[in-house]
Amino acid sequence: MADACTIPDETSPAGSVQCPECKRINEVLARVGDRWSVLVIISLARYGTLRFNELKRNLGISQRMLSLTLRQLVRDGLIEREQFPTIPPKVEYSLTAMGTSFREPVMALGQWALDNLDNIDDARARFDEVVEA
Amino acid sequence: MADACTIPDETSPAGSVQCPECKRINEVLARVGDRWSVLVIISLARYGTLRFNELKRNLGISQRMLSLTLRQLVRDGLIEREQFPTIPPKVEYSLTAMGTSFREPVMALGQWALDNLDNIDDARARFDEVVEA
DNA sequence: CGGTATCCGAACCGATACTG
DNA sequence: CAGTATCGGTTCGGATACCG
């Protein structure tokens, strides 16, 4: 990996110019960092393989958004789509190798989210109380 | 931490009902998981403390979005705002303890993003080529 | 310097209806 | 079952102008 790809590069004086890493991270997160993508990845990481409607029920996502999200993730090479020509049709989704490598940071983020939801709620309550006064 | 908060809970039969963890993760990610928040956290994790316009230049974010994002993050207890009553005014932002604990999963995500941007671009190119045919 | 207020187009996203 | 198409409300987010 090139030097330009390591995050802790503190050569520039803090706020001089736009940090190139942020620009690139931004690009990737714009693609795979939205909430539905993250949740689809988490679900597939948990269950291995899921059908369309299983994901739909699992996530509480609308049919439209799931369809769009899945197509994006397939296009980005994070998940795989296997279609069985049966009647009624059956389509299974699972993680690719890259999707699996995405699993770890995503799961860490998800776990942090679970661990800190209450803390955030508390912080918000305190903040709002102060602001009202 | 309660049992209900662990992600790898495979008790339900895959797609039966909405998984409660996904619901909660969704809630937190809706708050602190947006792109600007993530990038602010990454920048503060890198530099420790930054002023408003340093962050602005660093991220390539509009003044409006930065202002909104910072206020949210302060409200959620992830960052701290210190104001110096000088002329011209000076305001410094840094991570709180909770923000610092958020740092690790976020940095992991950012690093993954950097490492895989090219892979994603390649996957997209391949996908689009196939679709055109 | 560090904001806030307003405007306005773009993107998001759920609801609904329809298809193979 | 696994989608696609269309519509309409909400949110996002940049641009601009203004303030302490």
Side-chain angles (χ1 to χ4, degrees), chain A residues 113-133:
Chain A
L114 287 177
D115 294 349
N116 289 275
L117 196 140
D118 290 346
N119 294 336
I120 290 180
D121 282 340
D122 292 351
R124 287 199 152 192
R126 280 195 302 275
F127 182 92
D128 293 346
E129 204 166 332
V130 171
V131 167
E132 282 169 24

Side-chain angles (χ1 to χ4, degrees), chain B residues 35-36 61-65 89:
Chain B
R35 222 159 38 265
W36 291 133
I61 186 179
S62 71
Q63 194 171 27
R64 181 184 122 91
M65 285 316 295

Side-chain angles (χ1 to χ4, degrees), chain A residues 82-98:
Chain A
E82 193 176 4
Q83 180 173 358
F84 301 91
T86 56
I87 294 181
K90 171 177 170 180
V91 180
E92 286 186 345
Y93 293 92
S94 56
L95 296 181
T96 61
M98 192 179 4

Side-chain angles (χ1 to χ4, degrees), chain A residues 35-36 61-65 89:
Chain A
R35 223 160 36 268
W36 291 133
I61 186 180
S62 71
Q63 194 170 27
R64 182 185 122 90
M65 286 316 296

Side-chain angles (χ1 to χ4, degrees), chain A residues 39 46-47 114, chain B residues 3-7 9 18-26:
Chain A
L39 289 176
R46 255 181 83 175
Y47 296 112
L114 287 177
Chain B
D3 245 29
C5 274
T6 45
I7 289 177
D9 159 24
Q18 179 176 7
C19 99
E21 291 88 3
C22 285
K23 197 155 183 277
R24 305 199 78 212
I25 290 175
N26 198 359

